[in-house]
Amino acid sequence: MSEHRSGFAVGVTVFAATMLMVTGAFQVMQGLVAIFDDTFYVVGQEWIFSFDVTTWGWIHTIVGVLVVFAGIFVLGGAVWARTVGVIVACLSAVVNFAWLPYYPVWSVVIIAIDVLVVWALTVHGRDVLS
């Protein structure tokens, strides 16, 4: 007996997985820029989360790699990958919130995408399974 799957739900889940991979890749690039050229980012106001730019680079690189791998496994339909995807999307949103003084517009864009990913994976995540 085959269960009917919503095309919309599958599309939203594939979108979430793709966005995980894309935003993860962007975070890796953002992190590498901070590691190799710590003068690229100019700090405006000092916030409580004031780390060295190189430290932020390593944080973004590590979180970005985790986000990319989560997206790959979500595309594979693994149940555990949806959970990991939600966790790393939340982690990504928190890291980008703390990164706001360095790159505010981009951080807000990534946070918004992370929120969409969390919504898609929690509401429609299981529909990508065959």
Side-chain angles (χ1 to χ4, degrees):
M1 176 164 131
S2 76
E3 182 180 312
H4 176 69
R5 293 183 305 162
S6 165
F8 174 76
V10 172
V12 167
T13 305
V14 170
F15 168 79
T18 304
M19 291 313 299
L20 279 169
M21 291 184 290
V22 169
T23 59
F26 284 154
Q27 282 194 48
V28 168
M29 287 186 281
Q30 186 175 2
L32 292 175
V33 167
I35 291 169
F36 294 122
D37 184 11
D38 62 354
T39 61
F40 181 81
Y41 297 109
V42 177
V43 181
Q45 285 185 331
E46 289 290 325
W47 286 23
I48 195 162
F49 307 110
S50 60
F51 294 129
D52 179 59
V53 173
T54 305
T55 303
W56 274 117
W58 283 107
I59 291 169
H60 277 286
T61 302
I62 293 166
V63 170
V65 168
L66 292 173
V67 171
V68 168
F69 280 116
I72 291 169
F73 286 110
V74 167
L75 274 181
V79 175
W80 62 267
R82 286 183 302 163
T83 304
V84 171
V86 169
I87 291 169
V88 296
C90 290
L91 178 64
S92 171
V94 169
V95 165
N96 278 285
F97 175 76
W99 178 251
L100 275 169
Y102 298 90
Y103 225 49
V105 174
W106 184 249
S107 293
V108 170
V109 169
I110 296 298
I111 291 168
I113 292 171
D114 288 334
V115 169
L116 285 172
V117 166
V118 169
W119 171 80
L121 292 177
T122 55
V123 174
H124 298 292
R126 76 176 48 150
D127 295 324
V128 79
L129 295 173
S130 299

